[in-house]
């Protein structure tokens, strides 16, 4: 069995073993389930520090050892792990990018967007206003990443003449 703790040149080569499958993007590894007597499978995308997916794995016929990995199971695991990553990325994008559309006093519709750039040392955010009719940018200012974008804060920013919020 191949040891995955020491990276080497062969770590990028395709591999198909009973408890370890690898293609050009993913590695599936069957591991002992630490919480019970069963087995688990972990799916790790190459280059990622942690598995994208860890889940229970079926016991073999002897009820002691895991069922061996095979092509269809690996394909299903790849699809599932990729979907987990896609949903995580969508959730992160939604958390970091918000927008509201408000109607101004002169009946113009303006979309106000907040884009947060996470950074451990220096997070930042940009508040931008766009004309809803033609999507042209009306204003853009830097704000605190903690800025709360709501319909009322967007309206207040527009009414202030796009002055930087405090």
């Amino acid at each position: 069995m191949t040891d995955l703790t020491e990276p080497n040149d062969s770590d990028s080569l395709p591999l198909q073993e009973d408890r370890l499958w690898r293609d050009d993007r993913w590695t599936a590894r069957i591991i002992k389930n630490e919480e019970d007597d069963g087995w688990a499978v972990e799916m790790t995308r190459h280059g990622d520090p942690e598995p994208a997916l860890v889940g229970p794995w079926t016991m073999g016929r002897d009820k002691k050892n895991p069922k061996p990995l095979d092509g269809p199971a690996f394909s299903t695991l790849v699809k599932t792990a990729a979907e987990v990553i896609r949903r995580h990325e969508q959730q992160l994008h939604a958390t970091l990018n918000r927008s509201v559309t408000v109607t101004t006093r002169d009946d113009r519709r303006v979309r106000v967007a907040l884009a947060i750039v996470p950074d451990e040392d220096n997070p930042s955010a940009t508040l931008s206003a766009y004309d809803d009719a033609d999507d042209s940018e009306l204003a853009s200012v830097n704000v605190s990443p903690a800025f709360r974008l709501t319909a009322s804060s967007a309206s207040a920013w527009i009414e202030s003449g796009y002055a930087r919020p405090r």
Side-chain angles (χ1 to χ4, degrees), residues 24-163:
D24 60 334
R25 295 193 61 213
W26 291 94
T27 297
R29 184 168 54 150
I30 297 177
I31 57 175
K32 187 74 177 136
N33 189 340
E34 297 172 6
E35 296 178 12
D36 66 22
D37 293 334
W39 296 89
V41 62
E42 62 181 21
M43 289 296 295
T44 306
R45 185 171 57 176
H46 296 190
D48 287 355
E50 297 179 356
L53 176 71
V54 177
W57 188 249
T58 307
M59 295 286 248
R61 290 180 187 233
D62 66 2
K63 303 295 182 205
K64 255 188 332 188
N65 294 305
K67 179 181 167 187
L69 279 165
D70 60 20
F74 183 74
S75 294
T76 300
L77 289 166
V78 166
K79 288 178 187 174
T80 304
E83 180 66 17
V84 166
I85 288 174
R86 187 181 70 77
R87 287 184 182 179
H88 174 74
E89 288 169 349
Q90 285 177 331
Q91 179 184 11
L92 181 61
H93 183 269
T95 301
L96 299 175
N97 298 278
R98 299 180 182 266
S99 70
V100 297
T101 301
V102 296
T103 303
T104 63
R105 289 184 180 170
D106 59 355
D107 287 333
R108 188 169 64 164
R109 295 188 44 81
V110 176
R111 181 175 57 88
V112 177
L114 176 66
I116 300 171
V117 178
D119 184 301
E120 287 184 28
D121 298 325
N122 192 21
S124 62
T126 303
L127 189 62
S128 303
Y130 301 90
D131 187 313
D132 201 43
D134 62 8
D135 209 35
S136 60
E137 186 175 283
L138 303 171
S140 181
V141 295
N142 292 328
V143 294
S144 163
F147 181 83
R148 304 258 313 145
L149 179 61
T150 63
S152 87
S153 66
S155 293
W157 181 51
I158 294 166
E159 289 174 17
S160 75
Y162 304 107

Side-chain angles (χ1 to χ4, degrees), residues 10-28:
S10 66
D11 284 346
S12 61
L13 298 175
L15 181 68
Q16 296 177 353
E17 297 178 356
D18 287 352
R19 296 187 188 181
L20 178 68
W21 272 56
R22 182 174 51 231
D23 68 7
D24 60 334
R25 295 193 61 213
W26 291 94
T27 297

